[in-house]
Every structure is written in structure tokens, then in C-alpha cells.
Amino acid sequence: MKHLLFTMVMLSMFSGCKTVSDDISFPEITREAKPWTRWWWMGSAVDSAGITYSLETLSRAGIGGVEITPIYGVKGQEGRYIDYLSPRWMRMLAFTEAEAERLGMGVDMNNGTGWPFGSPETGMDDAASKAVFRDNRLEVGKTGQLVKRAAPGGQGFVIDHLDKGAVKRYLDRFDRAFAESGAPFPHSFFNDSYEVYGADWTPTLLDEFERRRGYRLQDYFPELLADGSTDISARVIADYRETVSDMLRENFTQVWTDWAHGHGVAVRNQAHGSPANLLDLYAMVDIPECESFGITDFDIPGLRRDSIRRTNDSDPSVLKYASSAAHVTGKKYTSAETFTWLTEHFRTSLSQCKPELDLMFASGVNRVFFHGTTFSPPDAPWPGWKFYASVDMSPTNTIWRDAPAFFDYITRVQSFLQSGTSDCDFLLYLPIYDIWHEQRGNYYLPFSIHDMRKRLPEFCGAADRIMACGYDVDYVSDRLLHTCSVENGLLKTAGGARYRALILPSVKRLPLETLSQIDELARQGATVVFAGQYPADVPGLSRLEERRKTFAEILARLRAEPTVAMTDSDSPLPAGFSPYRESFVADFGGKLIRRRHDGGHVYFLVMLKNNRTDDWVTLGTKAESAVFFDPLTGKAGKARLRNRNGITEVYMQLQPGESLLLKTFADRDVQAKDWMYYRPTGRRMVLNTGWKMHFIDSEPAVNETFQFPAPVLWTELNNDTLKRNMGTALYKTTFDFAKEAGREYRLYPGDVRESAVVRVNGKNAGTLFAVPFAVNIGDLLRNGKNTLEIAVTNLPANRISDYDRRGVEWRIFHEINFVNITYENTRFDTWEPLPSGLSGAVVIEEMETIKPFGQ
């Protein structure tokens, strides 16, 4: 019955993933299409009234669901703490699920408190283990690691993830809690990044090593500890690393996944940080999840750059591990822990969030989980209860006022990117055995997001070069490659994804079984490209010469296959692929992701550079017609296409920072209203007289009305309160205007700090939260007198800085309490006031419609 229930859940989750309706509307909005958020329960000090208030507030803003993660508590609230999985805690979970269902939301649940998995019931026998070598003699010890950021009822030793029995005993606690309480199981269970430090051993490792690798590791302890100084040492270390990878996959990820499926529940997993082939771990779960950490330095004019920042560790080459596994195995979703430490607390604008998110979309992410939202009682003094790591997506953050427009944007994009199936061009082989052989420093090798590019420079470089040529790649592991077949000359995975070729980037070592599979695929007609060199050896130590001989025989046969080629490592693509490439990436510097639907393709396109696109753009697919969708406004229209020599081109206008969705139809000329293309006529009006400004919301209160010829940042005014407040100011002016028939008019409001709602003649024109901060207002303007109102909301940085200068005690949390972006206990009293309000020229620019020649 449990397995039948899981089958029904999976059918529901994957329903609709093969096609996109052949109309010109946005797809139906589901709760999964909306952004979700990690919901930190501090001390699990929650109550029914607070849960209802919080969920209703999230739902109204456009949040589709929450992931409950209990953590350490708030000082002074100890009497309200609820032990994790206790009967009272389970009642709160059941109440949360019922309220979420009432609101059309979903509930996920962390399979522990804080991270990684561990509990008070984890005894020393089940705790994470490590090897201690003395004179090449092994002693198996315990790491002693405790659960990080643990909540009441969740403290204890971290489990031994390599021990199947320990994992099962850990999960027994959940079986008892759900069985005794009768609480419904959540939508899915979640596992955070693998931060199990130094757990390089398990009591059964020697037996498992001998069974899997064919020799006794204890006979090679000196080589294991020699850091690869000899070929034998490197091979022994690689065999150890492969064994740990296998055991983590089978004894933890597989056991956890099977357990959840037995209860009809999906699993969502962050594999990064683990000492395993990440692709194989991601492939085993229902929803692979990546993570952004830090901020990217985008060259986008007008994008605010904070002086307090840390570089993003998750570029596309890192993000693609999760999305590749999802694509290759046919999973509908790739989720992302989003905006972790994007900036310092209280200093993050929505304009900084959007390009970071767009980069994730273009890398295959299609389900956003914010990091995150802390449960905070409605009566808690500002800033409320806070988790120590940004970004804070909560109602007590001033960005919440205009965040619903951002959430709508996310929902529109994800509604398309969760449709259809992936459509990348090539499979790029992950040379995990070269990595296991060549990485030095310790025989134990975790793959953290913070050092992925450093560990795999050649591989990441190959991915970068292929994508820069206008093609997209999915990564493939040895295990996943064994699921591939050939159909009509294309590689086809068990998940249904199709690829034009397999590319192996400067691979030195291949397992014999993998080389045999590649040979079989080539003989069936698959295109195989060896970039830089052919592999020269097998990995590992057992039966080395025997395997080398067989390897040489298969390689010689493979090289003679007509569909096999070798290219230069700097140019990994062979001749003949160039006509069908995405010139938006190769020639214009944009980013995109492409998916297939039954009648054509869906594109997400974004310009994250200082490159303005106003030209014909070559598509990597053929189309008879296409429709543009603007995810910011919800508008749509038929795009201008032309086909020349079998190549499809679309006329595209895109400013730096802007994004579009494009839906193409291969054999159908859809009937729809035209997409509007514009160019400036040269006529423009600068609104530089008669401005007034007053606050519609401010803390502390500001009751004064200010007047000036042109908008001024309120932090520049001679008023001390305005340098320390947070809130929303309404800038207003009236002006005379004469409209030209058939023209559109675009408002550029100047420098917006940090988001704004625009109203023209009392009607809403839109919410501006991201570059290029512009909106069309032609339909709202009228001949004669007009009124323009711009309600600008600032960040809470100036307010929290004032709190610290005045000694207000708001850091009231146990454990790590509240730290800055470098994990230091720094106060914010030294911050200079962040610019707030509106400044610069407010301009209305006239535009005329154009019809690009050549359709």
C-alpha cells in the first residue's frame, strides 16, 4: 500500500512534464511553480496563531510552500521550546500541514534539525567515524561532531552516513513519531548539504573495500597515507575514494530515498560537500538541489554593488551538477537553495536578487527555495526573530513590500521551465577517476561548492568553452552513461533526454566498463568526441595489467569507428556542429536554457552583461512561429521570425538585466497579437519641476512633506531621522503632456533605492525592483494634465545601524546568535547610511513601433 501511495505521488509530481499547451498563454500556475522558502523554527517555539499568521502572510505574497527546518532557539523563550518530534511538535506539524492545505500551499520537512543528520538517540556505535593511523596501524575512532545549529530535541552526534544500519536506526525515530501521532507525512523530506567533517571511515569499510575493489586495503596502508607520491599510492587512494563514494550512495542516499518512498514521500537532496560522485547522488533522489553562496559580479549598468560582499562560489559549471542529474534521469524539478549570503543582512535589494536567480534559471534550476524565512511571532519587536545567514525573505524586511512582484516573476518563469523536457546539446563526461587519482592533500576528498572549480579546472573549462560557443551541456557519470542507448543517431538516456554527442574532456583514465559502453554506443551510431586526448589507462590497482590489455584492444577498435573524433582541448567541438547553435549566447553574450515541448521549444533568455540586443538572433532549433512572453509583466506576443537556409532567426530586443521567455512552434504558424518592437523617436520629457515627497510608511515616523524641483534621495536631506529610518516615501508631481497617436511612452524613474511602485493618474503602472528600472506608461498617460506617483521603499540597513549605535539589544539568539557575512560577531554601527529614495532625472521617452524587415 505504501509503495502504491508513492507511485500515486510520483505520478502527480511528474504529470504534465512532457508537453506544453499549444496556446499563447502562460502555463497553469501550480504551488510548485511559485517560490518556496526554508522556514526556520527557532527552538520550535511555534504556536497555532503564529503559524496561521505566518502562512497567510507568505501565501498573500505569492509563496507556494515552506520547508520546516528547526534550529536553536531565542534567549528568554526557553519556556516555549518544543522538542523535535515530540507529540506536541508533531501536533504543530499536523496543524501546519492543515493550514497550508487550506491556503493551497505545500509543506516540506527537514529530516533533522540544523544539519547534518543526527539526534539524541545517536549512540557512539552509530556516530560518524574516522580513521586514526599510528605507525601504519589503524584505529577506528569517532569524529565527535555534533549536529550544527541543532534545535531542542535534535541535539546529538552526527550519524555515520556510511553505515546502513546507523542510517536505518536514525530513521526509525521518524517512523515512531509519525505512527504514534497520526500526523500526515510532508510533501517531501529534505537533506541539507553534506557537512560531515572528517568522517573518512566506517567499521565495515575494509570488508567493503575488499569486496568491491578485489584486494585488501590494510595491505596498502603505507600507500594510502603516501598522498599519491607513487603510481601505486595514487591508485590505492583512488580505489578508497571510489569505495567511499559507493558506500555513501548505497548506505545513505539509497536507504534514505527508499525509506521516504515507502511512506509515499519524495526526497530533495543537496549532495554537494559529500565525498562521492555528486552526479550519482543527485540522480538517486526525486529533486536534486544545488545552492548559491555569495554574489556574482555582473557587468550590468545600474546594478547596485554593495561594498560588503563575498564572491559567489556557485557559477553555472557548479550549478549544473544538480540540473544535469535531473535532466539525464528525467526528473521534473531541479531546486536551489537561493541567495545564501548574497549580501550582508539588511543590505540586500531585490535588484541584486534577480540577476543571481536568472543565472540559476539559465543553469537548469526551476524550483526556488529561499534561504530563508524565520518564524517570528507577530508581536516580536523589530527586526523579529532572525536566522544568522542571509537573505532574509520575511515580512519584517522592507523588501517584502514589493517582493510580490518579484515572486510573480519567479512564478511565471518557473511555470515554463517546469514544462516540457530538457533539451541540451551534448553530454559532457565527468572524469571522476582522474579527479580521484590526481587530487592531493588527503585521501578523503569531499566536493564542496566552495572549491569545485579549483578541483576540476579542466572539466569546468571545457564546459565553459562549449557553452560559450552557443551550445549547452549536461554532465554524465559512468553509472548514468550505462543507462544510455542510441536512437536515430542521438544518445538517449533512460530518463528520455536526447543528446547530439558525448564529449570526453582531456580524460586520462576510464574504467574498462565505461570504455566498453562508449564503444557499444559508437557502434550503434552515437557521436563520440575525445577533446584533447584519448584516454590512456584504467583507474585502480586490482588486475591492472589484465585490464590494461583489454583496454588497449577496445580503444583501438573504438578509434576506428566513423562516429568517433578527437579535437583540440581548447576547441572541444568537431566541425559540423556550428550551423545549429544559439547565437544569443555565442555572439551576443547572453545566457539561456532551452526545453522541448511536443510542438517545439521553450527558451528562457537573459542578458547578464553590458550588451544591448536589438538584432536578428539565430536559434539552435527550427521554428515556423514563436511567441515572446515577458515574465515581469505577463504580456505576450508573436515574435518576428525569418528562416534562411534552414536556419531560424528571431528578432530580439533585450536590455542588460532583462529576461524573456520564448516559445517556438516547429510546424505551426500560431495566430496571436504581435509582439511589440520599439525604437526611440528622439522626443523625451524630463520631469524636473514641482516634486513633493512624504512618507506613507516610516520607522521612526516622519510626518513632514518635502518639496524640490527634481527627486532627491531622502538620505541627502538635512534631517537626521531620514538617515536612520526605513520605510516608503511617495514622490509625486503633475505635468502637462501631449501624446502622439500610435506612440508608446516609457518611464525611466532615475536611480531607485531600492524598489518602487509607479502610478500614473491614479492607476498602477507596475512595480520596479530590478535593472533596467523602466516601465511603459502610454496607456495611462492622457493629453493635458497628468499625475505621476512613485512610492519608493528603502532597505532596513540604516535602521539596524541606528539600533546598534543606540545599543538596542536585538541579537537575542542562542548558539551562533547573529554574525556578519564573514561569520564574525561584528556590530553594524559603523555603516554609513545607505542611499535611500529617488534621484537623478525622471524621464518619459517616446517610442515608435517597428516591424523588423525579413520575416
Side-chain angles (χ1 to χ4, degrees):
M1 181 63 186
K2 292 177 179 177
H3 291 284
L4 175 60
L5 175 59
F6 176 72
T7 300
M8 294 171 66
V9 170
M10 291 295 102
L11 286 173
S12 174
M13 176 180 291
F14 287 89
S15 64
C17 68
K18 293 185 178 180
T19 64
V20 176
S21 173
D22 273 4
D23 58 24
I24 59 166
S25 302
F26 280 86
E28 180 183 358
I29 300 305
T30 65
R31 66 184 184 183
E32 285 77 20
K34 297 178 181 181
W36 288 36
T37 190
R38 182 167 300 169
W39 201 16
W40 307 106
W41 281 12
M42 302 199 81
S44 295
V46 298
D47 55 49
S48 57
I51 288 171
T52 295
Y53 167 81
S54 298
L55 290 178
E56 288 180 347
T57 303
L58 295 172
S59 178
R60 282 195 302 270
I63 298 294
V66 294
E67 169 221 301
I68 298 172
T69 295
I71 53 169
Y72 53 88
V74 179
K75 297 175 183 177
Q77 300 292 327
E78 290 81 2
R80 298 179 57 189
Y81 290 177
I82 305 174
D83 281 350
Y84 184 59
L85 299 184
S86 67
R88 186 180 169 199
W89 196 96
M90 297 303 292
R91 288 196 297 272
M92 289 295 98
L93 173 64
F95 180 80
T96 299
E97 292 173 310
E99 285 294 89
E101 183 69 24
R102 175 178 68 84
L103 295 167
M105 301 175 71
V107 177
D108 284 0
M109 173 181 164
N110 194 320
N111 245 140
T113 78
W115 62 93
F117 289 175
S119 80
E121 296 183 6
T122 303
M124 290 303 294
D125 288 345
D126 286 347
S129 301
K130 66 178 181 179
V132 179
F133 288 97
R134 293 186 175 90
D135 298 324
N136 293 324
R137 296 175 62 87
L138 170 68
E139 297 178 13
V140 180
K142 299 296 178 179
T143 68
Q145 181 183 349
L146 299 174
V147 176
K148 293 176 62 176
R149 323 304 182 214
Q155 305 95 331
F157 289 115
V158 171
I159 65 169
D160 183 348
H161 288 67
L162 304 179
D163 183 340
K164 184 180 297 185
V167 175
K168 289 182 176 180
R169 285 185 288 275
Y170 173 77
L171 296 172
D172 285 344
R173 188 184 185 207
F174 294 86
D175 287 332
R176 295 195 305 272
F178 279 96
E180 293 169 3
S181 68
F185 280 90
H187 175 267
S188 66
F189 283 112
F190 171 67
N191 177 45
D192 210 334
S193 56
Y194 191 87
E195 299 180 33
V196 184
Y197 303 125
D200 59 6
W201 213 265
T202 191
T204 61
L205 192 143
L206 292 178
D207 292 338
E208 289 291 327
F209 184 96
E210 184 174 0
R211 180 176 69 84
R212 297 167 188 270
R213 306 282 86 85
Y215 64 98
R216 287 163 40 93
L217 179 59
Q218 53 267 49
D219 295 339
Y220 290 87
F221 280 165
E223 287 76 13
L224 179 68
L225 303 175
D227 197 24
S229 59
T230 65
D231 182 62
I232 292 179
S233 173
R235 291 178 180 278
V236 170
I237 290 171
D239 281 340
Y240 160 84
R241 290 169 173 170
E242 183 179 7
T243 301
V244 170
S245 179
D246 290 346
M247 293 182 72
L248 184 61
R249 185 186 70 250
E250 296 173 12
N251 295 349
F252 171 68
T253 307
Q254 186 67 67
V255 169
W256 173 57
T257 302
D258 288 347
W259 169 81
H261 287 182
H263 292 294
V265 181
V267 291
R268 183 165 53 87
N269 184 49
Q270 294 183 3
H272 49 271
S274 66
N277 190 325
L278 301 187
L279 292 174
D280 291 340
L281 299 189
Y282 280 132
M284 296 190 72
V285 300
D286 304 298
I287 308 173
E289 179 162 300
C290 56
E291 173 183 351
S292 68
F293 200 101
I295 195 166
T296 305
D297 191 17
F298 296 108
D299 181 21
I300 300 176
L303 178 63
R304 186 170 69 79
R305 288 171 172 79
D306 199 343
S307 59
I308 304 174
R309 58 195 291 121
R310 64 180 299 159
T311 301
N312 187 10
D313 292 319
S314 300
D315 68 5
S317 68
V318 176
L319 297 171
K320 276 185 166 289
Y321 283 88
S323 61
S324 293
H327 295 166
V328 170
T329 57
K331 308 287 171 54
K332 183 175 183 178
Y333 302 121
T334 300
S335 61
E337 175 189 307
T338 311
F339 308 142
T340 306
W341 284 125
L342 184 70
T343 69
E344 185 60 270
H345 267 296
F346 307 103
R347 299 175 70 97
T348 307
S349 66
L350 297 174
S351 66
Q352 293 168 310
C353 293
K354 181 181 178 294
E356 209 70 55
L357 182 61
D358 288 341
L359 182 65
M360 301 184 85
F361 284 149
S363 303
V365 170
N366 62 6
R367 275 200 73 185
V368 165
F369 282 78
F370 295 133
H371 183 274
T373 304
T374 308
F375 173 90
S376 187
D379 59 353
W382 191 84
W385 297 1
K386 296 296 174 194
F387 182 64
Y388 73 91
S390 67
V391 166
D392 174 35
M393 282 289 181
S394 75
T396 61
N397 191 336
T398 56
I399 65 174
W400 192 260
R401 185 184 189 98
D402 294 333
F406 181 42
F407 300 164
D408 286 345
Y409 169 79
I410 295 171
T411 300
R412 293 185 184 113
V413 173
Q414 292 190 158
S415 71
F416 269 112
L417 296 187
Q418 293 173 8
S419 315
T421 57
S422 64
D423 190 42
C424 290
D425 299 288
F426 305 120
L427 280 175
L428 185 67
Y429 172 77
L430 176 66
I432 190 68
Y433 289 91
D434 286 346
I435 299 164
W436 282 336
H437 266 254
E438 297 170 4
Q439 289 291 312
R440 301 289 177 257
N442 192 318
Y443 55 81
Y444 181 73
L445 185 65
F447 292 95
S448 164
I449 63 170
H450 305 300
D451 56 14
M452 291 292 286
R453 286 195 69 93
K454 181 179 69 176
R455 292 200 185 281
L456 295 87
E458 291 184 359
F459 175 75
C460 292
D464 292 342
R465 288 189 292 273
I466 294 170
M467 290 189 288
C469 291
Y471 304 98
D472 206 354
V473 299
D474 278 331
Y475 305 160
V476 66
S477 68
D478 297 80
R479 290 178 60 84
L480 293 177
L481 193 58
H482 280 278
T483 72
C484 292
S485 58
V486 180
E487 187 176 277
N488 299 322
L490 300 177
L491 287 156
K492 182 180 179 181
T493 69
R498 293 174 173 82
Y499 302 88
R500 295 159 64 184
L502 169 67
I503 301 175
L504 294 91
S506 300
V507 176
K508 305 179 186 69
R509 302 166 190 84
L510 271 181
L512 192 59
E513 299 79 7
T514 301
L515 186 67
S516 297
Q517 171 67 357
I518 294 173
D519 179 52
E520 178 61 29
L521 294 172
R523 283 193 286 171
Q524 294 178 26
T527 299
V528 179
V529 179
F530 291 92
Q533 65 184 70
Y534 288 106
D537 205 351
V538 293
L541 183 62
S542 179
R543 299 171 29 251
L544 182 57
E545 295 307 320
E546 174 188 339
R547 289 186 295 123
R548 278 174 166 168
K549 180 181 178 182
T550 306
F551 181 92
E553 295 170 353
I554 297 174
L555 182 61
R557 184 173 67 237
L558 176 63
R559 293 176 63 171
E561 292 291 339
T563 58
V564 174
M566 189 175 78
T567 63
D568 187 273
S569 59
D570 292 331
S571 302
L573 298 177
F577 287 106
S578 56
Y580 298 101
R581 66 191 183 104
E582 302 292 352
S583 72
F584 178 67
V585 177
D587 301 330
F588 294 89
K591 298 284 186 183
L592 67 79
I593 189 78
R594 188 180 69 225
R595 295 181 68 83
R596 249 183 313 123
H597 66 88
D598 280 352
H601 292 83
V602 168
Y603 286 80
F604 171 75
L605 308 124
V606 62
M607 181 53 69
L608 298 174
K609 290 184 176 181
N610 188 13
N611 292 341
R612 178 176 178 268
T613 304
D614 189 357
D615 206 342
W616 289 101
V617 175
T618 300
L619 298 180
T621 59
K622 296 181 180 181
E624 180 69 22
S625 61
V627 176
F628 274 128
F629 296 83
D630 183 351
L632 272 179
T633 66
K635 294 180 179 178
K638 187 176 180 180
R640 300 286 289 186
L641 290 189
R642 68 184 185 191
N643 285 283
R644 301 193 302 177
N645 300 319
I647 304 296
T648 299
E649 296 177 333
V650 59
Y651 200 90
M652 188 184 306
Q653 292 180 323
L654 209 58
Q655 299 287 340
E658 286 186 326
S659 53
L660 283 173
L661 292 154
L662 178 70
K663 182 178 178 180
T664 70
F665 300 87
D667 302 308
R668 178 173 169 226
D669 185 12
V670 297
Q671 300 304 306
K673 181 180 178 181
D674 285 343
W675 180 255
M676 303 305 293
Y677 297 93
Y678 298 104
R679 67 183 175 197
T681 65
R683 181 190 173 206
R684 60 201 303 265
M685 173 181 281
V686 180
L687 304 181
N688 55 8
T689 59
W691 284 91
K692 296 181 180 181
M693 184 268 282
H694 71 277
F695 282 88
I696 57 179
D697 182 32
S698 177
E699 177 58 38
V702 179
N703 299 316
E704 187 176 352
T705 296
F706 304 87
Q707 299 185 42
F708 21 69
V712 175
L713 294 170
W714 73 69
T715 44
E716 296 297 318
L717 299 175
N718 187 23
N719 185 315
D720 179 67
T721 302
L722 299 181
K723 293 176 173 53
R724 57 188 178 90
N725 77 321
M726 61 179 183
T728 301
L730 184 67
Y731 290 78
K732 181 177 180 180
T733 189
T734 58
F735 58 96
D736 290 324
F737 197 81
K739 295 172 63 174
E740 183 77 21
R743 297 287 195 258
E744 177 60 273
Y745 296 90
R746 181 167 296 168
L747 174 71
Y748 294 93
D751 187 9
V752 177
R753 298 301 181 99
E754 294 294 334
S755 60
V757 175
V758 177
R759 293 176 66 85
V760 179
N761 296 319
K763 296 182 179 180
N764 189 356
T767 301
L768 306 183
F769 62 85
V771 174
F773 286 100
V775 61
N776 291 352
I777 61 173
D779 290 342
L780 303 179
L781 285 172
R782 57 194 179 210
N783 288 314
K785 191 170 292 295
N786 291 264
T787 300
L788 173 64
E789 297 172 298
I790 306 176
V792 182
T793 301
N794 75 337
L795 299 179
N798 298 341
R799 189 67 181 141
I800 204 69
S801 179
D802 176 61
Y803 267 36
D804 277 357
R805 283 192 295 270
R806 292 190 290 117
V808 177
E809 190 54 58
W810 59 271
R811 295 176 177 85
I812 55 173
F813 317 110
H814 281 297
E815 222 251 16
I816 194 173
N817 200 344
F818 201 89
V819 294
N820 68 1
I821 201 168
T822 55
Y823 288 81
E824 298 171 322
N825 293 312
T826 303
R827 300 178 70 82
F828 304 142
D829 54 331
T830 60
W831 287 355
E832 293 294 322
L834 283 187
S836 301
L838 194 64
S839 66
V842 179
V843 176
I844 298 176
E845 183 175 70
E846 184 180 82
M847 299 180 297
E848 61 183 353
T849 59
I850 61 172
K851 290 189 176 181
F853 174 78
Q855 185 171 16

Short mmCIF file of all heavy atoms in Angstrom, two decimals, residues 740-759:
data_model
loop_
_atom_site.label_atom_id
_atom_site.label_comp_id
_atom_site.label_asym_id
_atom_site.label_seq_id
_atom_site.Cartn_x
_atom_site.Cartn_y
_atom_site.Cartn_z
N GLU A 740 1.33 61.53 -28.88
CA GLU A 740 1.29 61.36 -30.33
C GLU A 740 0.59 60.03 -30.61
O GLU A 740 0.92 58.99 -30.03
CB GLU A 740 2.71 61.34 -30.89
CG GLU A 740 2.80 61.25 -32.41
CD GLU A 740 2.50 62.57 -33.09
OE1 GLU A 740 2.62 63.62 -32.43
OE2 GLU A 740 2.16 62.54 -34.28
N ALA A 741 -0.37 60.04 -31.50
CA ALA A 741 -1.12 58.83 -31.82
C ALA A 741 -0.17 57.73 -32.30
O ALA A 741 0.74 57.98 -33.10
CB ALA A 741 -2.16 59.13 -32.88
N GLY A 742 -0.41 56.52 -31.83
CA GLY A 742 0.37 55.37 -32.27
C GLY A 742 1.73 55.24 -31.61
O GLY A 742 2.52 54.37 -31.99
N ARG A 743 2.02 56.09 -30.62
CA ARG A 743 3.31 56.03 -29.95
C ARG A 743 3.17 55.37 -28.57
O ARG A 743 2.10 55.38 -27.96
CB ARG A 743 3.88 57.44 -29.75
CG ARG A 743 4.17 58.19 -31.05
CD ARG A 743 5.40 57.62 -31.74
NE ARG A 743 5.90 58.52 -32.78
CZ ARG A 743 5.71 58.38 -34.07
NH1 ARG A 743 4.98 57.35 -34.52
NH2 ARG A 743 6.22 59.24 -34.94
N GLU A 744 4.26 54.77 -28.12
CA GLU A 744 4.36 54.26 -26.76
C GLU A 744 5.27 55.21 -25.98
O GLU A 744 6.12 55.90 -26.56
CB GLU A 744 4.92 52.83 -26.75
CG GLU A 744 5.12 52.22 -25.37
CD GLU A 744 3.85 52.13 -24.55
OE1 GLU A 744 3.55 53.13 -23.86
OE2 GLU A 744 3.16 51.09 -24.60
N TYR A 745 5.10 55.20 -24.65
CA TYR A 745 5.90 56.08 -23.81
C TYR A 745 6.45 55.27 -22.64
O TYR A 745 5.71 54.55 -21.97
CB TYR A 745 5.07 57.27 -23.32
CG TYR A 745 4.65 58.15 -24.47
CD1 TYR A 745 3.45 57.92 -25.14
CD2 TYR A 745 5.47 59.17 -24.92
CE1 TYR A 745 3.07 58.70 -26.22
CE2 TYR A 745 5.10 59.96 -26.00
CZ TYR A 745 3.91 59.71 -26.65
OH TYR A 745 3.55 60.48 -27.73
N ARG A 746 7.76 55.38 -22.45
CA ARG A 746 8.44 54.59 -21.41
C ARG A 746 8.97 55.53 -20.34
O ARG A 746 9.62 56.54 -20.64
CB ARG A 746 9.58 53.78 -22.01
CG ARG A 746 10.33 52.91 -21.00
CD ARG A 746 11.21 51.91 -21.70
NE ARG A 746 10.39 50.96 -22.47
CZ ARG A 746 10.88 50.11 -23.37
NH1 ARG A 746 12.18 50.09 -23.62
NH2 ARG A 746 10.08 49.29 -24.01
N LEU A 747 8.69 55.18 -19.10
CA LEU A 747 9.15 55.96 -17.96
C LEU A 747 10.45 55.38 -17.42
O LEU A 747 10.53 54.19 -17.11
CB LEU A 747 8.09 55.96 -16.85
CG LEU A 747 8.51 56.64 -15.54
CD1 LEU A 747 8.59 58.14 -15.72
CD2 LEU A 747 7.56 56.26 -14.41
N TYR A 748 11.45 56.25 -17.29
CA TYR A 748 12.70 55.92 -16.62
C TYR A 748 12.75 56.77 -15.35
O TYR A 748 12.96 57.99 -15.42
CB TYR A 748 13.90 56.23 -17.51
CG TYR A 748 13.99 55.35 -18.74
CD1 TYR A 748 13.43 55.76 -19.94
CD2 TYR A 748 14.63 54.12 -18.70
CE1 TYR A 748 13.50 54.96 -21.08
CE2 TYR A 748 14.72 53.32 -19.83
CZ TYR A 748 14.15 53.74 -21.01
OH TYR A 748 14.23 52.95 -22.13
N PRO A 749 12.57 56.18 -14.17
CA PRO A 749 12.41 56.98 -12.96
C PRO A 749 13.72 57.43 -12.31
O PRO A 749 13.70 57.97 -11.21
CB PRO A 749 11.66 56.04 -12.03
CG PRO A 749 12.11 54.69 -12.44
CD PRO A 749 12.33 54.75 -13.92
N GLY A 750 14.85 57.19 -12.96
CA GLY A 750 16.12 57.58 -12.36
C GLY A 750 16.69 56.48 -11.49
O GLY A 750 16.45 55.30 -11.71
N ASP A 751 17.44 56.89 -10.48
CA ASP A 751 18.11 55.95 -9.58
C ASP A 751 17.16 55.58 -8.45
O ASP A 751 16.87 56.40 -7.57
CB ASP A 751 19.39 56.58 -9.03
CG ASP A 751 20.22 55.60 -8.22
OD1 ASP A 751 19.88 54.40 -8.23
OD2 ASP A 751 21.19 56.04 -7.58
N VAL A 752 16.67 54.35 -8.46
CA VAL A 752 15.69 53.88 -7.48
C VAL A 752 16.41 53.13 -6.36
O VAL A 752 17.08 52.14 -6.62
CB VAL A 752 14.64 52.96 -8.13
CG1 VAL A 752 13.67 52.42 -7.09
CG2 VAL A 752 13.91 53.69 -9.24
N ARG A 753 16.27 53.60 -5.14
CA ARG A 753 16.87 52.93 -3.98
C ARG A 753 15.79 52.58 -2.96
O ARG A 753 15.45 53.41 -2.14
CB ARG A 753 17.94 53.83 -3.36
CG ARG A 753 19.12 54.16 -4.25
CD ARG A 753 19.86 52.91 -4.70
NE ARG A 753 21.00 53.25 -5.53
CZ ARG A 753 22.27 53.31 -5.08
NH1 ARG A 753 22.52 53.05 -3.82
NH2 ARG A 753 23.24 53.63 -5.90
N GLU A 754 15.14 51.35 -3.02
CA GLU A 754 15.66 50.24 -3.80
C GLU A 754 14.59 49.62 -4.70
O GLU A 754 14.93 48.92 -5.63
CB GLU A 754 16.18 49.15 -2.87
CG GLU A 754 17.39 49.52 -2.06
CD GLU A 754 18.65 49.78 -2.86
OE1 GLU A 754 18.82 49.25 -3.96
OE2 GLU A 754 19.48 50.55 -2.35
N SER A 755 13.32 49.88 -4.43
CA SER A 755 12.25 49.40 -5.30
C SER A 755 11.13 50.43 -5.29
O SER A 755 11.07 51.29 -4.40
CB SER A 755 11.73 48.03 -4.85
OG SER A 755 11.20 48.11 -3.53
N ALA A 756 10.25 50.36 -6.29
CA ALA A 756 9.24 51.40 -6.41
C ALA A 756 7.98 50.87 -7.07
O ALA A 756 8.04 50.01 -7.96
CB ALA A 756 9.79 52.57 -7.23
N VAL A 757 6.86 51.41 -6.64
CA VAL A 757 5.57 51.20 -7.29
C VAL A 757 5.19 52.48 -8.00
O VAL A 757 5.19 53.56 -7.40
CB VAL A 757 4.48 50.81 -6.28
CG1 VAL A 757 3.12 50.70 -6.96
CG2 VAL A 757 4.83 49.48 -5.61
N VAL A 758 4.90 52.39 -9.29
CA VAL A 758 4.60 53.56 -10.12
C VAL A 758 3.11 53.62 -10.38
O VAL A 758 2.50 52.61 -10.78
CB VAL A 758 5.38 53.49 -11.46
CG1 VAL A 758 5.02 54.68 -12.35
CG2 VAL A 758 6.88 53.46 -11.20
N ARG A 759 2.53 54.79 -10.19
CA ARG A 759 1.13 55.04 -10.50
C ARG A 759 1.03 56.28 -11.39
O ARG A 759 1.68 57.30 -11.11
CB ARG A 759 0.30 55.23 -9.23
CG ARG A 759 0.18 53.98 -8.39
CD ARG A 759 -0.57 54.25 -7.09
NE ARG A 759 -1.96 54.61 -7.33
CZ ARG A 759 -2.94 53.73 -7.49
NH1 ARG A 759 -2.68 52.43 -7.46
NH2 ARG A 759 -4.18 54.13 -7.69
#
